[in-house]
Amino acid sequence: MIIRLIIKEIVYKKFNFLLALLGVSFAVAFFVFFFTANEASTRETIRLTRDMGYNLRIIPKDTDMNIFWTTGYSEYTMPEDYVDRFLQFKDFSFAHLTATLQKKISWQNKEVILTGIAPEIEPSGIKRTAMIFSIEPAQVYVGFELAKDLQLKQGDEIEVLGKYFSIKKTLSETGSIDDIRIYGTLAEFQEMVDLKGRINEIMALNCLCLSPDENDPLPMLREQLDQVLPEAKVVMNTTIANARERQRHMLEEYFVLTTIIVIIVIAIWIGSLAMINAKEREKETGILRATGHSVLKISFIFLGKALIIGIIGAIIGYTIGTVTALKLGPGIFMITKNSMKPIYSLLAWAIISAPVFTMLSSFIPILIAVMKDPAVTLRKE
Amino acid sequence: MIQLEDVSKIFESPLKQVEVLIKITLEVKNGEFIVVKGPSGSGKTTLLLSIGGMLRPTSGNIRINDKNIYLLSDRERTKFRALNIGFVFQMFYLIPYLNVLENTMLSGGLKDIGTKRGKALKLAEDLGLSDRVMHRPSELSAGECQRVALARALIHQPEIILADEPTGNLDKENSSEVVRILAHYHQNGGTVIMATHGDDADKIADRIILLNKGEI
């Protein structure tokens, strides 16, 4: 009987129902739009950052930066096991940590940078795809310029500082110092240059967790590093990805503020409509009480309507929000269309939270209506 | 049996107190037809609503079949009202979006939908509404609306019908029809307390009570 009453009343008072539905749909669409686009923007920024390679270089604290930028690496070394200290900490902004030892040598009449690399570690414990290739003992990767000048190719055998290696791969041109590197395992290269157990850099990637109060992550990164490795310091490559991340954070802040406003406005909208509806149905409430229906049952009639509005509004809002995100998101967030994907879990979220929100917004007007003395409403006008 | 013992009702507002019922003592036997008369504001509606468990008196007791209805919890009183009392109002108070059949079935006294539907259809036939069962109140005349309200009050076969000026909005012919229906219910053993200005029911009433400024 309750459901029958609810549906009949909805059909009878279509305008009130549609207005409430409009409000709920708008709120859900707004949230879904922004969340979908924001997630896509985050994914794309992370992808761009990964594609650009490591953007953090952790080097011994005493490094002379003039020499560092001139030679391309620190002249000081630190113990290899320093990198393990990062494993003790969670919620860290450093990811894809790779210990390296770099040294310039003269090889075949060329200046090359021997670069020994250790396997990547993740302080967060999250399994991620490694950013750099993994190397087996007795194998090397050769930079573009070296390979080109010396006509080296995959499979060739080379001798470096008395040790023989097979070329696993010649790398593509990067337009950077990496084009004159020979990459090998850390252990082998440490032995070759007589720096066993030593490294002079830990390469890392910033996880794009910009500090809440500032847009520049470097102070936060330095603070975190001080906790882990006070013997080191960090330099960061400021990239286009950082600029994008700044923009995304700004939009996110606006979103949070706008969401609060939207929620308040829509709650007032729904509450007002519920109050108007309850007022219009005062006599109905009174006669339901007079004919032996409990306050609880009458409340269910009103709340049931709010529930239906919430569920339908959630579905409509999710659809509109997702479609709008797919169409307009790339332009507003400056991301590629391929990055934009529907987030299906948001539908479940909307179907649960929108009805709850609608019922909560309607709660006080409903309570006032059903608790009103029916004798007052049924007395002759 | 309905027993009122020194029942008073005072309505309080920020500016004043209004004594609507003043120490009403009244006994209504099972199966009686009581007409309550009095000018507007004399307390007729308040009296009926109090007897119907809808308006708690400020003081005094109201017993129905030896049960003090205002000592019951709200839930128990609602259930009592659903099973034992039928209301009819001057303004009909039909649900505008329900048809005749659905309005008739609105009573909370019967749970089984099948039984309710059968009884509603029978009542519609008895009250001359057979061809109007699918119509909404906006499509009915005043007389038809009041007959629907009567059907709603009668469907669960209550012991008591409380009718608050049921003929107030009707012409003579429809008023007579309403009184005839109430009289038929009374003849079948039901108790009727009817508040009215007019003399429609004087001939069939067992007693006429005059209410003036809250006193009998």
Side-chain angles (χ1 to χ4, degrees), chain A residues 194-369:
Chain A
D194 201 24
L195 284 169
K196 210 169 175 181
R198 307 294 292 183
I199 57 175
N200 56 8
E201 186 170 325
I202 301 170
M203 301 190 293
L205 188 71
N206 177 18
C207 77
L208 304 177
C209 311
L210 291 182
S211 55
D213 301 322
E214 309 158 27
N215 285 328
D216 183 8
L218 208 43
M220 181 191 67
L221 289 166
R222 285 178 173 153
E223 199 182 301
Q224 286 186 355
L225 189 64
D226 273 343
Q227 290 174 47
V228 183
L229 203 56
E231 301 90 338
K233 60 185 176 185
V234 62
V235 291
M236 185 169 112
N237 288 338
T238 308
T239 61
I240 293 168
N242 280 68
R244 291 171 64 94
E245 183 62 8
R246 257 187 274 282
Q247 185 203 34
R248 194 187 68 76
H249 265 262
M250 189 179 70
L251 281 168
E252 208 169 61
E253 279 169 16
Y254 282 133
F255 168 60
V256 168
L257 180 64
T258 316
T259 299
I260 293 168
I261 294 170
V262 165
I263 286 173
I264 291 170
V265 166
I266 298 300
I268 293 170
W269 172 269
I270 300 292
S272 303
L273 288 169
M275 195 165 284
I276 292 168
N277 188 239
K279 183 85 183 143
E280 285 173 346
R281 297 172 75 183
E282 259 181 9
K283 304 280 185 245
E284 180 186 334
T285 312
I287 203 65
L288 284 170
R289 294 285 298 274
T291 51
H293 296 284
S294 65
V295 167
L296 192 64
K297 193 171 180 180
I298 297 168
S299 304
F300 281 159
I301 292 169
F302 283 92
L303 285 173
K305 182 180 175 180
L307 178 73
I308 290 173
I309 290 169
I311 292 172
I312 298 174
I315 295 169
I316 294 173
Y318 172 80
T319 308
I320 293 173
T322 301
V323 168
T324 310
L326 295 175
K327 292 258 183 248
L328 302 179
I332 295 170
F333 284 77
M334 288 162 56
I335 52 178
T336 55
K337 270 190 177 176
N338 289 342
S339 292
M340 202 63 87
K341 289 178 179 57
I343 303 177
Y344 296 109
S345 59
L346 281 180
L347 178 60
W349 168 88
I351 287 175
I352 293 166
S353 56
V356 170
F357 171 76
T358 314
M359 287 194 287
L360 281 173
S361 303
S362 314
F363 182 72
I364 291 175
I366 289 169
L367 194 66
I368 293 170

Side-chain angles (χ1 to χ4, degrees), chain A residues 55-89:
Chain A
N55 61 357
L56 296 175
R57 303 177 74 177
I58 301 163
I59 53 180
K61 211 177 189 94
D62 296 331
T63 302
D64 184 320
M65 297 311 293
N66 280 338
I67 297 170
F68 177 77
W69 291 121
T70 311
T71 59
Y73 58 88
S74 173
E75 78 272 34
Y76 292 100
T77 63
M78 50 191 175
E80 181 183 345
D81 58 14
Y82 272 13
V83 74
D84 296 333
R85 288 194 198 175
F86 287 87
L87 290 170
Q88 298 165 33
F89 290 83

Side-chain angles (χ1 to χ4, degrees), chain B residues 166-181:
Chain B
T167 59
N169 274 351
L170 305 178
D171 58 25
K172 210 170 172 59
E173 190 183 330
N174 282 306
S175 295
S176 300
E177 181 60 19
V178 167
V179 171
R180 184 195 69 75
I181 294 165

